[in-house]
Amino acid sequence: RSMERVRAVGGLRIAAPAFGAHTPGSPRIDLLAAADRYRTLLELGAEIGVVPMVEVWGFSANLSRLGEGLLVASESGHPDASLLADVYHLYKGGSPVESLRPVRGGAIGIFHVNDYPDLPRETIGDADRVYPGDGIAPLPQILRLLHEIGYRGALSLELFREDLWREDPLRVARTGREKLEAQIARALG
């Protein structure tokens, strides 16, 4: 149903996180079984016209690291398999920035960009994300690596800050774009 709703509004991709097996204390799932389920999801998505992307959630008990997401995508054996990765979630899950290096750019469906303050991985939360360049994330390094591996897809600003939700959405979007473009220029300039 979610894929049908996405398609109805013209969307082509949807996040496929480890929802339901993500809370602390959740049992570890068999990632090879998850790859089989992901393949089934991709086949269903092909019928609908929407590509599900394995979403890496740093706070998850499962699929919290980029390598785990890569394993699920790769082992699905499906040509449309892809990842949805995120600056914050790489940090939260403990994936080193260099974990992006072996990824083929086309294997990333969307990359969420944000920044984070100097808080421990164990306590940082979604609402702590800040505009690109306003925190301590190694954004230039991440953006350079994405370019080096051939990623040419969307960079999607993702912030979960209630203070920003109360502001003018167009102003927030413009501010986010300006700050992201400054980081891109710094990385690739």
Side-chain angles (χ1 to χ4, degrees), residues 101-145:
R101 189 165 298 286
V103 180
R104 181 180 50 82
I108 300 172
I110 294 175
F111 196 89
H112 289 313
V113 181
N114 40 57
D115 209 328
Y116 47 82
D118 189 7
L119 294 171
R121 283 190 2 239
E122 299 76 26
T123 59
I124 197 167
D126 280 336
D128 294 315
R129 298 181 208 194
V130 294
Y131 283 118
D134 287 358
I136 63 160
L139 284 173
Q141 182 185 5
I142 291 169
L143 293 167
R144 267 192 305 277
L145 267 171

mmCIF file of all heavy atoms in Angstrom, residues 101-145:
data_model
loop_
_atom_site.group_PDB
_atom_site.id
_atom_site.type_symbol
_atom_site.label_atom_id
_atom_site.label_comp_id
_atom_site.label_asym_id
_atom_site.label_seq_id
_atom_site.Cartn_x
_atom_site.Cartn_y
_atom_site.Cartn_z
ATOM 1 N N ARG A 101 33.583 3.810 0.512
ATOM 2 C CA ARG A 101 34.529 3.628 -0.593
ATOM 3 C C ARG A 101 34.220 2.422 -1.482
ATOM 4 O O ARG A 101 34.242 2.539 -2.702
ATOM 5 C CB ARG A 101 35.952 3.556 -0.074
ATOM 6 C CG ARG A 101 36.966 3.600 -1.207
ATOM 7 C CD ARG A 101 38.363 3.898 -0.768
ATOM 8 N NE ARG A 101 38.552 5.187 -0.132
ATOM 9 C CZ ARG A 101 38.557 6.365 -0.756
ATOM 10 N NH1 ARG A 101 38.343 6.430 -2.047
ATOM 11 N NH2 ARG A 101 38.772 7.482 -0.091
ATOM 12 N N PRO A 102 33.921 1.230 -0.937
ATOM 13 C CA PRO A 102 33.679 0.102 -1.844
ATOM 14 C C PRO A 102 32.284 0.085 -2.486
ATOM 15 O O PRO A 102 31.985 -0.796 -3.292
ATOM 16 C CB PRO A 102 33.869 -1.126 -0.946
ATOM 17 C CG PRO A 102 33.622 -0.646 0.430
ATOM 18 C CD PRO A 102 34.011 0.810 0.453
ATOM 19 N N VAL A 103 31.452 1.049 -2.158
ATOM 20 C CA VAL A 103 30.098 1.080 -2.712
ATOM 21 C C VAL A 103 30.130 1.689 -4.108
ATOM 22 O O VAL A 103 30.745 2.739 -4.328
ATOM 23 C CB VAL A 103 29.155 1.910 -1.801
ATOM 24 C CG1 VAL A 103 27.744 1.950 -2.375
ATOM 25 C CG2 VAL A 103 29.157 1.372 -0.382
ATOM 26 N N ARG A 104 29.479 1.055 -5.036
ATOM 27 C CA ARG A 104 29.321 1.614 -6.380
ATOM 28 C C ARG A 104 28.266 2.723 -6.283
ATOM 29 O O ARG A 104 27.222 2.536 -5.669
ATOM 30 C CB ARG A 104 28.858 0.503 -7.329
ATOM 31 C CG ARG A 104 28.677 0.910 -8.775
ATOM 32 C CD ARG A 104 28.210 -0.277 -9.611
ATOM 33 N NE ARG A 104 27.079 -0.988 -9.053
ATOM 34 C CZ ARG A 104 25.799 -0.612 -9.197
ATOM 35 N NH1 ARG A 104 25.493 0.461 -9.877
ATOM 36 N NH2 ARG A 104 24.831 -1.328 -8.651
ATOM 37 N N GLY A 105 28.571 3.889 -6.846
ATOM 38 C CA GLY A 105 27.665 5.034 -6.725
ATOM 39 C C GLY A 105 26.241 4.751 -7.119
ATOM 40 O O GLY A 105 25.293 5.232 -6.497
ATOM 41 N N GLY A 106 26.042 3.927 -8.144
ATOM 42 C CA GLY A 106 24.700 3.592 -8.593
ATOM 43 C C GLY A 106 23.932 2.714 -7.622
ATOM 44 O O GLY A 106 22.731 2.535 -7.763
ATOM 45 N N ALA A 107 24.630 2.165 -6.620
ATOM 46 C CA ALA A 107 23.962 1.318 -5.629
ATOM 47 C C ALA A 107 23.290 2.141 -4.540
ATOM 48 O O ALA A 107 22.586 1.591 -3.699
ATOM 49 C CB ALA A 107 24.969 0.350 -5.005
ATOM 50 N N ILE A 108 23.499 3.442 -4.554
ATOM 51 C CA ILE A 108 22.840 4.322 -3.592
ATOM 52 C C ILE A 108 21.670 4.976 -4.307
ATOM 53 O O ILE A 108 21.847 5.641 -5.321
ATOM 54 C CB ILE A 108 23.814 5.393 -3.041
ATOM 55 C CG1 ILE A 108 24.998 4.720 -2.343
ATOM 56 C CG2 ILE A 108 23.084 6.343 -2.090
ATOM 57 C CD1 ILE A 108 26.100 5.678 -1.935
ATOM 58 N N GLY A 109 20.479 4.768 -3.780
ATOM 59 C CA GLY A 109 19.289 5.348 -4.401
ATOM 60 C C GLY A 109 19.118 6.805 -4.041
ATOM 61 O O GLY A 109 18.811 7.641 -4.895
ATOM 62 N N ILE A 110 19.312 7.132 -2.779
ATOM 63 C CA ILE A 110 19.217 8.503 -2.260
ATOM 64 C C ILE A 110 20.192 8.602 -1.096
ATOM 65 O O ILE A 110 20.381 7.637 -0.354
ATOM 66 C CB ILE A 110 17.782 8.840 -1.783
ATOM 67 C CG1 ILE A 110 16.811 8.858 -2.974
ATOM 68 C CG2 ILE A 110 17.741 10.182 -1.053
ATOM 69 C CD1 ILE A 110 15.355 9.057 -2.587
ATOM 70 N N PHE A 111 20.762 9.770 -0.931
ATOM 71 C CA PHE A 111 21.648 10.003 0.201
ATOM 72 C C PHE A 111 21.128 11.202 0.978
ATOM 73 O O PHE A 111 21.036 12.304 0.443
ATOM 74 C CB PHE A 111 23.090 10.264 -0.273
ATOM 75 C CG PHE A 111 24.090 10.127 0.826
ATOM 76 C CD1 PHE A 111 24.682 8.908 1.103
ATOM 77 C CD2 PHE A 111 24.431 11.219 1.608
ATOM 78 C CE1 PHE A 111 25.594 8.768 2.134
ATOM 79 C CE2 PHE A 111 25.340 11.097 2.642
ATOM 80 C CZ PHE A 111 25.925 9.868 2.903
ATOM 81 N N HIS A 112 20.739 10.961 2.245
ATOM 82 C CA HIS A 112 20.265 12.039 3.113
ATOM 83 C C HIS A 112 21.461 12.817 3.665
ATOM 84 O O HIS A 112 22.411 12.214 4.178
ATOM 85 C CB HIS A 112 19.467 11.499 4.305
ATOM 86 C CG HIS A 112 18.128 10.952 3.954
ATOM 87 N ND1 HIS A 112 17.234 11.593 3.132
ATOM 88 C CD2 HIS A 112 17.505 9.815 4.339
ATOM 89 C CE1 HIS A 112 16.134 10.878 3.028
ATOM 90 N NE2 HIS A 112 16.277 9.784 3.749
ATOM 91 N N VAL A 113 21.370 14.126 3.571
ATOM 92 C CA VAL A 113 22.439 14.981 4.068
ATOM 93 C C VAL A 113 21.912 15.816 5.224
ATOM 94 O O VAL A 113 20.799 16.344 5.184
ATOM 95 C CB VAL A 113 22.985 15.900 2.956
ATOM 96 C CG1 VAL A 113 24.106 16.770 3.481
ATOM 97 C CG2 VAL A 113 23.474 15.074 1.776
ATOM 98 N N ASN A 114 22.724 15.885 6.243
ATOM 99 C CA ASN A 114 22.448 16.680 7.430
ATOM 100 C C ASN A 114 23.768 16.794 8.170
ATOM 101 O O ASN A 114 24.802 16.402 7.636
ATOM 102 C CB ASN A 114 21.363 16.007 8.297
ATOM 103 C CG ASN A 114 21.527 14.496 8.350
ATOM 104 O OD1 ASN A 114 22.570 13.997 8.735
ATOM 105 N ND2 ASN A 114 20.506 13.775 7.920
ATOM 106 N N ASP A 115 23.760 17.297 9.345
ATOM 107 C CA ASP A 115 24.964 17.410 10.165
ATOM 108 C C ASP A 115 24.537 17.101 11.587
ATOM 109 O O ASP A 115 23.343 16.939 11.869
ATOM 110 C CB ASP A 115 25.549 18.819 10.041
ATOM 111 C CG ASP A 115 27.061 18.863 10.231
ATOM 112 O OD1 ASP A 115 27.599 18.037 11.004
ATOM 113 O OD2 ASP A 115 27.693 19.751 9.637
ATOM 114 N N TYR A 116 25.491 17.001 12.477
ATOM 115 C CA TYR A 116 25.162 16.696 13.868
ATOM 116 C C TYR A 116 26.153 17.402 14.783
ATOM 117 O O TYR A 116 27.293 17.660 14.412
ATOM 118 C CB TYR A 116 25.160 15.185 14.124
ATOM 119 C CG TYR A 116 26.366 14.463 13.572
ATOM 120 C CD1 TYR A 116 27.572 14.432 14.273
ATOM 121 C CD2 TYR A 116 26.300 13.811 12.345
ATOM 122 C CE1 TYR A 116 28.676 13.777 13.773
ATOM 123 C CE2 TYR A 116 27.406 13.153 11.839
ATOM 124 C CZ TYR A 116 28.585 13.134 12.551
ATOM 125 O OH TYR A 116 29.688 12.484 12.048
ATOM 126 N N PRO A 117 25.687 17.725 15.991
ATOM 127 C CA PRO A 117 26.566 18.385 16.964
ATOM 128 C C PRO A 117 27.512 17.366 17.609
ATOM 129 O O PRO A 117 27.391 16.156 17.383
ATOM 130 C CB PRO A 117 25.587 18.953 17.993
ATOM 131 C CG PRO A 117 24.401 18.052 17.908
ATOM 132 C CD PRO A 117 24.322 17.584 16.475
ATOM 133 N N ASP A 118 28.408 17.859 18.418
ATOM 134 C CA ASP A 118 29.395 17.022 19.103
ATOM 135 C C ASP A 118 28.735 16.320 20.287
ATOM 136 O O ASP A 118 28.829 16.768 21.429
ATOM 137 C CB ASP A 118 30.574 17.883 19.560
ATOM 138 C CG ASP A 118 31.739 17.060 20.075
ATOM 139 O OD1 ASP A 118 31.689 15.816 19.961
ATOM 140 O OD2 ASP A 118 32.697 17.662 20.581
ATOM 141 N N LEU A 119 28.024 15.247 19.995
ATOM 142 C CA LEU A 119 27.344 14.423 21.005
ATOM 143 C C LEU A 119 27.768 12.973 20.799
ATOM 144 O O LEU A 119 28.012 12.546 19.666
ATOM 145 C CB LEU A 119 25.826 14.534 20.876
ATOM 146 C CG LEU A 119 25.208 15.889 21.175
ATOM 147 C CD1 LEU A 119 23.723 15.895 20.797
ATOM 148 C CD2 LEU A 119 25.382 16.231 22.644
ATOM 149 N N PRO A 120 27.825 12.194 21.859
ATOM 150 C CA PRO A 120 28.197 10.783 21.712
ATOM 151 C C PRO A 120 27.195 10.019 20.855
ATOM 152 O O PRO A 120 25.988 10.285 20.902
ATOM 153 C CB PRO A 120 28.191 10.251 23.144
ATOM 154 C CG PRO A 120 28.174 11.438 24.032
ATOM 155 C CD PRO A 120 27.588 12.567 23.253
ATOM 156 N N ARG A 121 27.696 9.067 20.089
ATOM 157 C CA ARG A 121 26.824 8.233 19.246
ATOM 158 C C ARG A 121 25.722 7.573 20.057
ATOM 159 O O ARG A 121 24.603 7.396 19.583
ATOM 160 C CB ARG A 121 27.648 7.131 18.566
ATOM 161 C CG ARG A 121 28.448 7.597 17.408
ATOM 162 C CD ARG A 121 29.067 6.456 16.602
ATOM 163 N NE ARG A 121 28.753 5.131 17.057
ATOM 164 C CZ ARG A 121 29.660 4.227 17.435
ATOM 165 N NH1 ARG A 121 30.933 4.524 17.443
ATOM 166 N NH2 ARG A 121 29.285 3.020 17.814
ATOM 167 N N GLU A 122 26.045 7.188 21.281
ATOM 168 C CA GLU A 122 25.089 6.447 22.108
ATOM 169 C C GLU A 122 23.884 7.293 22.530
ATOM 170 O O GLU A 122 22.824 6.748 22.813
ATOM 171 C CB GLU A 122 25.785 5.908 23.361
ATOM 172 C CG GLU A 122 26.920 4.937 23.081
ATOM 173 C CD GLU A 122 28.208 5.617 22.590
ATOM 174 O OE1 GLU A 122 28.432 6.802 22.903
ATOM 175 O OE2 GLU A 122 28.970 4.953 21.864
ATOM 176 N N THR A 123 24.043 8.605 22.577
ATOM 177 C CA THR A 123 22.948 9.450 23.070
ATOM 178 C C THR A 123 22.370 10.390 22.023
ATOM 179 O O THR A 123 21.284 10.927 22.231
ATOM 180 C CB THR A 123 23.415 10.296 24.277
ATOM 181 O OG1 THR A 123 24.516 11.111 23.880
ATOM 182 C CG2 THR A 123 23.805 9.402 25.452
ATOM 183 N N ILE A 124 23.048 10.578 20.915
ATOM 184 C CA ILE A 124 22.538 11.496 19.882
ATOM 185 C C ILE A 124 21.229 10.927 19.318
ATOM 186 O O ILE A 124 21.065 9.716 19.210
ATOM 187 C CB ILE A 124 23.594 11.723 18.779
ATOM 188 C CG1 ILE A 124 23.230 12.973 17.970
ATOM 189 C CG2 ILE A 124 23.772 10.499 17.901
ATOM 190 C CD1 ILE A 124 24.358 13.468 17.076
ATOM 191 N N GLY A 125 20.307 11.824 19.001
ATOM 192 C CA GLY A 125 19.011 11.400 18.480
ATOM 193 C C GLY A 125 18.651 12.118 17.198
ATOM 194 O O GLY A 125 19.304 13.086 16.796
ATOM 195 N N ASP A 126 17.587 11.654 16.556
ATOM 196 C CA ASP A 126 17.125 12.249 15.298
ATOM 197 C C ASP A 126 16.967 13.762 15.395
ATOM 198 O O ASP A 126 17.329 14.496 14.485
ATOM 199 C CB ASP A 126 15.782 11.641 14.880
ATOM 200 C CG ASP A 126 15.922 10.296 14.205
ATOM 201 O OD1 ASP A 126 16.999 10.004 13.637
ATOM 202 O OD2 ASP A 126 14.954 9.521 14.232
ATOM 203 N N ALA A 127 16.408 14.237 16.487
ATOM 204 C CA ALA A 127 16.122 15.668 16.642
ATOM 205 C C ALA A 127 17.377 16.512 16.824
ATOM 206 O O ALA A 127 17.298 17.738 16.802
ATOM 207 C CB ALA A 127 15.178 15.887 17.823
ATOM 208 N N ASP A 128 18.534 15.879 16.974
ATOM 209 C CA ASP A 128 19.784 16.625 17.124
ATOM 210 C C ASP A 128 20.400 17.029 15.790
ATOM 211 O O ASP A 128 21.361 17.787 15.757
ATOM 212 C CB ASP A 128 20.807 15.789 17.921
ATOM 213 C CG ASP A 128 20.367 15.561 19.344
ATOM 214 O OD1 ASP A 128 19.905 16.529 19.984
ATOM 215 O OD2 ASP A 128 20.473 14.412 19.826
ATOM 216 N N ARG A 129 19.860 16.535 14.699
ATOM 217 C CA ARG A 129 20.423 16.865 13.386
ATOM 218 C C ARG A 129 20.308 18.362 13.119
ATOM 219 O O ARG A 129 19.326 19.007 13.481
ATOM 220 C CB ARG A 129 19.697 16.122 12.279
ATOM 221 C CG ARG A 129 19.808 14.634 12.394
ATOM 222 C CD ARG A 129 19.074 13.984 11.257
ATOM 223 N NE ARG A 129 18.593 12.681 11.652
ATOM 224 C CZ ARG A 129 18.151 11.785 10.785
ATOM 225 N NH1 ARG A 129 18.134 12.042 9.505
ATOM 226 N NH2 ARG A 129 17.725 10.621 11.210
ATOM 227 N N VAL A 130 21.331 18.896 12.457
ATOM 228 C CA VAL A 130 21.367 20.318 12.130
ATOM 229 C C VAL A 130 21.665 20.480 10.640
ATOM 230 O O VAL A 130 21.983 19.513 9.942
ATOM 231 C CB VAL A 130 22.415 21.071 12.993
ATOM 232 C CG1 VAL A 130 22.013 21.062 14.471
ATOM 233 C CG2 VAL A 130 23.811 20.503 12.813
ATOM 234 N N TYR A 131 21.558 21.718 10.172
ATOM 235 C CA TYR A 131 21.870 22.017 8.774
ATOM 236 C C TYR A 131 23.296 21.584 8.432
ATOM 237 O O TYR A 131 24.191 21.628 9.292
ATOM 238 C CB TYR A 131 21.789 23.524 8.527
ATOM 239 C CG TYR A 131 20.408 24.108 8.407
ATOM 240 C CD1 TYR A 131 19.969 25.061 9.317
ATOM 241 C CD2 TYR A 131 19.561 23.763 7.363
ATOM 242 C CE1 TYR A 131 18.720 25.650 9.201
ATOM 243 C CE2 TYR A 131 18.303 24.345 7.243
ATOM 244 C CZ TYR A 131 17.892 25.283 8.153
ATOM 245 O OH TYR A 131 16.661 25.862 8.035
ATOM 246 N N PRO A 132 23.536 21.216 7.171
ATOM 247 C CA PRO A 132 24.893 20.898 6.739
ATOM 248 C C PRO A 132 25.856 22.060 7.030
ATOM 249 O O PRO A 132 25.555 23.213 6.726
ATOM 250 C CB PRO A 132 24.750 20.696 5.228
ATOM 251 C CG PRO A 132 23.314 20.316 5.028
ATOM 252 C CD PRO A 132 22.557 21.080 6.088
ATOM 253 N N GLY A 133 26.970 21.724 7.656
ATOM 254 C CA GLY A 133 27.973 22.729 7.986
ATOM 255 C C GLY A 133 27.815 23.332 9.363
ATOM 256 O O GLY A 133 28.704 24.041 9.834
ATOM 257 N N ASP A 134 26.706 23.056 10.046
ATOM 258 C CA ASP A 134 26.471 23.615 11.381
ATOM 259 C C ASP A 134 26.878 22.654 12.501
ATOM 260 O O ASP A 134 26.617 22.930 13.663
ATOM 261 C CB ASP A 134 24.987 23.989 11.557
ATOM 262 C CG ASP A 134 24.599 25.224 10.768
ATOM 263 O OD1 ASP A 134 25.473 25.822 10.112
ATOM 264 O OD2 ASP A 134 23.406 25.585 10.800
ATOM 265 N N GLY A 135 27.481 21.543 12.156
ATOM 266 C CA GLY A 135 27.889 20.557 13.151
ATOM 267 C C GLY A 135 29.315 20.098 12.906
ATOM 268 O O GLY A 135 30.122 20.821 12.322
ATOM 269 N N ILE A 136 29.588 18.867 13.336
ATOM 270 C CA ILE A 136 30.962 18.355 13.253
ATOM 271 C C ILE A 136 31.125 17.200 12.261
ATOM 272 O O ILE A 136 32.200 16.610 12.169
ATOM 273 C CB ILE A 136 31.452 17.892 14.642
ATOM 274 C CG1 ILE A 136 30.595 16.727 15.154
ATOM 275 C CG2 ILE A 136 31.476 19.047 15.628
ATOM 276 C CD1 ILE A 136 31.245 15.907 16.239
ATOM 277 N N ALA A 137 30.077 16.861 11.528
ATOM 278 C CA ALA A 137 30.182 15.751 10.566
ATOM 279 C C ALA A 137 31.266 16.060 9.535
ATOM 280 O O ALA A 137 31.431 17.215 9.131
ATOM 281 C CB ALA A 137 28.846 15.531 9.861
ATOM 282 N N PRO A 138 31.985 15.047 9.086
ATOM 283 C CA PRO A 138 33.016 15.255 8.069
ATOM 284 C C PRO A 138 32.396 15.358 6.669
ATOM 285 O O PRO A 138 32.673 14.552 5.776
ATOM 286 C CB PRO A 138 33.905 14.019 8.223
ATOM 287 C CG PRO A 138 32.972 12.953 8.707
ATOM 288 C CD PRO A 138 31.968 13.671 9.584
ATOM 289 N N LEU A 139 31.541 16.354 6.493
ATOM 290 C CA LEU A 139 30.787 16.476 5.235
ATOM 291 C C LEU A 139 31.668 16.584 3.997
ATOM 292 O O LEU A 139 31.395 15.912 2.999
ATOM 293 C CB LEU A 139 29.818 17.653 5.304
ATOM 294 C CG LEU A 139 28.579 17.388 6.148
ATOM 295 C CD1 LEU A 139 27.759 18.657 6.319
ATOM 296 C CD2 LEU A 139 27.736 16.300 5.529
ATOM 297 N N PRO A 140 32.715 17.411 4.002
ATOM 298 C CA PRO A 140 33.543 17.457 2.787
ATOM 299 C C PRO A 140 34.106 16.080 2.413
ATOM 300 O O PRO A 140 34.100 15.704 1.245
ATOM 301 C CB PRO A 140 34.644 18.448 3.141
ATOM 302 C CG PRO A 140 34.006 19.338 4.165
ATOM 303 C CD PRO A 140 33.126 18.419 4.969
ATOM 304 N N GLN A 141 34.549 15.328 3.407
ATOM 305 C CA GLN A 141 35.084 13.994 3.140
ATOM 306 C C GLN A 141 33.992 13.080 2.581
ATOM 307 O O GLN A 141 34.215 12.350 1.618
ATOM 308 C CB GLN A 141 35.671 13.412 4.420
ATOM 309 C CG GLN A 141 36.291 12.036 4.234
ATOM 310 C CD GLN A 141 36.769 11.413 5.537
ATOM 311 O OE1 GLN A 141 36.571 11.958 6.620
ATOM 312 N NE2 GLN A 141 37.399 10.259 5.432
ATOM 313 N N ILE A 142 32.805 13.115 3.175
ATOM 314 C CA ILE A 142 31.696 12.279 2.706
ATOM 315 C C ILE A 142 31.302 12.662 1.283
ATOM 316 O O ILE A 142 31.143 11.796 0.416
ATOM 317 C CB ILE A 142 30.486 12.394 3.664
ATOM 318 C CG1 ILE A 142 30.811 11.733 5.006
ATOM 319 C CG2 ILE A 142 29.223 11.792 3.042
ATOM 320 C CD1 ILE A 142 29.799 12.003 6.107
ATOM 321 N N LEU A 143 31.163 13.944 1.025
ATOM 322 C CA LEU A 143 30.761 14.401 -0.308
ATOM 323 C C LEU A 143 31.819 14.074 -1.357
ATOM 324 O O LEU A 143 31.486 13.692 -2.486
ATOM 325 C CB LEU A 143 30.440 15.891 -0.278
ATOM 326 C CG LEU A 143 29.198 16.255 0.556
ATOM 327 C CD1 LEU A 143 29.128 17.757 0.795
ATOM 328 C CD2 LEU A 143 27.928 15.737 -0.108
ATOM 329 N N ARG A 144 33.097 14.198 -1.005
ATOM 330 C CA ARG A 144 34.179 13.812 -1.928
ATOM 331 C C ARG A 144 34.112 12.309 -2.229
ATOM 332 O O ARG A 144 34.245 11.901 -3.388
ATOM 333 C CB ARG A 144 35.546 14.157 -1.343
ATOM 334 C CG ARG A 144 36.076 15.505 -1.762
ATOM 335 C CD ARG A 144 37.541 15.708 -1.420
ATOM 336 N NE ARG A 144 37.864 15.495 -0.017
ATOM 337 C CZ ARG A 144 37.706 16.405 0.945
ATOM 338 N NH1 ARG A 144 37.220 17.590 0.667
ATOM 339 N NH2 ARG A 144 38.036 16.121 2.194
ATOM 340 N N LEU A 145 33.918 11.511 -1.195
ATOM 341 C CA LEU A 145 33.826 10.060 -1.403
ATOM 342 C C LEU A 145 32.638 9.700 -2.290
ATOM 343 O O LEU A 145 32.758 8.849 -3.179
ATOM 344 C CB LEU A 145 33.707 9.341 -0.066
ATOM 345 C CG LEU A 145 35.008 8.862 0.551
ATOM 346 C CD1 LEU A 145 34.795 8.362 1.971
ATOM 347 C CD2 LEU A 145 35.653 7.797 -0.283
#
